[in-house]
Amino acid sequence: MFGITPSARLRPSPYFEATLKEGVCAFTTYNHMLMPTSYGHPLEEYWRLINGVSQWDVAVERQVQLRGPDAGKLAQILAPRDLSKCNVGQGKYVPLCNHQGVLINDPILLKLADDLYWLSIADSNIWFWARAIAAERGLRVEVSEPDVSPMAIQGPKAVDVVAHVCGEWIRDLKYFWFRETQIQGIPVVVARSGWSKQGGYEIYLRDGTKGTQLWNIFREAGAPWGIGPGNPNWSERVESGLISFGGDTDDQTNPFEVRMGKYIDLHVPDDTIGIQALRRIHAEGPRRHSLGVILDEGEPVVPGFLWNPLFKDGEKVGHLTNTVFSIRVQKNLGFALISRACAVGDRVEALVNGKMERGVLTELPFL
Ligand code: THG
């Protein structure tokens, strides 16, 4: 369709050369980097994730490092989720909000030490935010970006591949927990996590010069299980109801509207950013919620520029955010961010890639 012009503003992933060799043929931008989105065989790539094991360059999930005596304090000021019982070696999914309770990112927090945290961020600049807050609050903490680049190994056979490379201990790792280790001398953090519902691990590479080497180690070790390249999979993640910050949220979205309420602890200290607003929104009830949309028409929808108005009985009730053809459901599925006056079973319509499509509201996740 069109190409991408590299520039000094775009940071290459340490796995870039390896993914070129794998035949990557499309990218999207995320955190001022390029993320592979296709290797040219969508069905093969999808079923590899569902039934086998898939290897992803997700270096775009960049790390905001908090280091210093007040690192934990800053983490709790940034995150409206109770971190007081978070252990070293534990990760947590933490929606971050601004003072209005509006979602500004939804990272995974990793506690590496009492004075060292990483926020593995979605697509928005949290270094600016964390540095500004740390300075305004007079905290003794350095906010930086370490040399860290995640690679994901996802799918039901990921556990066997990662155990083969790292050792049997990875089978007992709890979800979002991690351990610092080495793979053939390459420093990594191995976590049980990843942006799919098929299970798997993320290998956080701690030496950007070793990307190709680390990629090839897993490529070779995974061969008996049929490992191959993939990426956060549009079809699978919509089927699984995984929300993409910035794709399924706008600059008014609060966590309660997008099914993240369970990650908000209203009792966190009063100096946590956004908590006053979140308490108020929770008490009043959010104005919108997210539901699934199943489109009537079967002709496969390819990802496009969405965020189109959604109508019920001719009246605008919200937005259709993402829509994609589901390979397991064999229908076009989308996410609706809509008025709470709309409910499961309601008929709706929206423009999808230039065509008015009708559909029905349903619960999330689809599968
Ligand atoms: N891995 C890493 N960094 C990331 C992501 C990741 N940064 C950006 C983005 N993804 C952050 N967002 C999410 C969103 C959902 C999940 C993980 C990261 C997730 N959610 C599970 C779910 O919704 O079922 C479990 C959440 C829970 O129960 O605690 O996994 O993928 N390194």
Side-chain angles (χ1 to χ4, degrees):
M1 187 167 44
F2 44 73
I4 291 169
T5 307
S7 98
R9 288 178 297 97
L10 284 174
R11 191 174 75 167
S13 158
Y15 311 113
F16 185 65
E17 296 299 330
T19 60
L20 284 183
K21 225 177 123 208
E22 294 279 8
V24 64
C25 60
F27 294 92
T28 189
T29 64
Y30 196 98
N31 280 327
H32 300 268
M33 293 179 68
L34 297 178
M35 179 172 71
T37 52
S38 176
Y39 292 84
H41 306 284
L43 285 176
E44 216 175 284
E45 289 161 36
Y46 175 84
W47 289 115
R48 190 183 283 143
L49 169 62
I50 304 297
N51 295 326
V53 51
S54 180
Q55 184 173 10
W56 302 356
D57 171 2
V58 283
V60 298
E61 295 164 350
R62 293 170 69 163
Q63 311 305 304
V64 179
Q65 177 169 288
L66 318 179
R67 186 203 281 278
D70 289 335
K73 198 168 174 198
L74 178 59
Q76 187 64 86
I77 286 171
L78 297 174
R81 181 169 186 187
D82 188 351
L83 300 177
S84 64
K85 290 177 198 74
C86 186
N87 293 289
V88 171
Q90 187 176 7
K92 271 183 184 284
Y93 181 45
V94 292
L96 305 185
C97 295
N98 67 15
H99 299 81
Q100 286 71 44
V102 168
L103 198 63
I104 58 165
N105 203 296
D106 67 332
I108 296 170
L109 169 142
L110 293 87
K111 181 172 178 180
L112 290 114
D114 285 330
D115 62 352
L116 181 62
Y117 292 72
W118 292 346
L119 295 169
S120 183
I121 58 170
D123 189 17
S124 74
N125 191 324
I126 294 303
W127 296 278
F128 284 175
W129 178 253
R131 282 186 186 121
I133 301 300
E136 293 287 325
R137 306 262 174 128
L139 299 177
R140 296 162 301 159
V141 56
E142 183 203 17
V143 176
S144 64
E145 179 170 21
D147 176 1
V148 172
S149 306
M151 175 181 73
I153 308 291
Q154 298 286 296
K157 295 180 182 163
V159 57
D160 292 322
V161 175
V162 179
H164 185 70
V165 174
C166 299
E168 293 299 310
W169 60 269
I170 65 98
R171 295 183 190 274
D172 302 322
L173 206 55
K174 286 183 280 182
Y175 202 68
F176 280 145
W177 286 64
F178 63 87
R179 196 192 276 187
E180 298 182 57
T181 181
Q182 298 205 339
I183 296 171
Q184 295 179 24
I186 304 172
V188 295
V189 163
V190 177
R192 193 163 204 154
S193 55
W195 210 59
S196 85
K197 284 288 198 180
Q198 309 312 313
Y201 295 80
E202 289 181 304
I203 318 297
Y204 293 73
L205 169 64
R206 305 183 80 169
D207 177 350
T209 68
K210 300 283 188 350
T212 300
Q213 197 184 333
L214 187 72
W215 184 276
N216 289 339
I217 288 171
F218 280 90
R219 187 65 159 117
E220 283 154 32
W225 289 275
I227 200 169
N231 50 268
N233 189 283
W234 228 250
S235 195
E236 189 276 341
R237 78 98 174 170
V238 170
E239 293 166 348
S240 301
L242 284 171
I243 298 287
S244 173
F245 170 78
D248 302 309
T249 64
D250 60 12
D251 64 0
Q252 305 287 315
T253 307
N254 66 64
F256 302 111
E257 295 178 325
V258 284
R259 301 163 53 246
M260 291 181 191
K262 59 178 178 247
Y263 307 115
I264 303 297
D265 292 313
L266 294 172
H267 65 265
V268 295
D270 289 347
D271 63 357
T272 293
I273 295 169
I275 196 60
Q276 322 280 359
L278 290 167
R279 288 174 186 152
R280 194 183 62 245
I281 295 164
H282 183 260
E284 291 169 358
R287 295 190 348 268
R288 300 183 294 181
H289 60 162
S290 20
L291 290 175
V293 185
I294 303 178
L295 299 185
D296 298 343
E297 286 291 314
E299 205 173 306
V301 166
V302 293
F305 301 118
L306 266 160
W307 265 99
N308 285 331
L310 195 75
F311 299 94
K312 176 182 155 186
D313 300 329
E315 190 193 331
K316 185 182 162 192
V317 288
H319 288 92
L320 185 66
T321 61
N322 273 292
T323 306
V324 71
F325 186 71
S326 160
I327 293 162
R328 278 175 293 175
V329 180
Q330 287 288 306
K331 285 186 173 161
N332 292 310
L333 307 179
F335 290 156
L337 183 53
I338 45 165
S339 157
R340 295 235 301 168
C342 298
V344 168
D346 287 355
R347 301 280 308 160
V348 289
E349 52 184 28
L351 212 53
V352 179
N353 294 344
K355 194 167 159 238
M356 209 55 167
E357 301 278 2
R358 283 169 237 286
V360 63
L361 295 178
T362 184
E363 290 293 356
L364 288 173
F366 295 99
L367 291 180

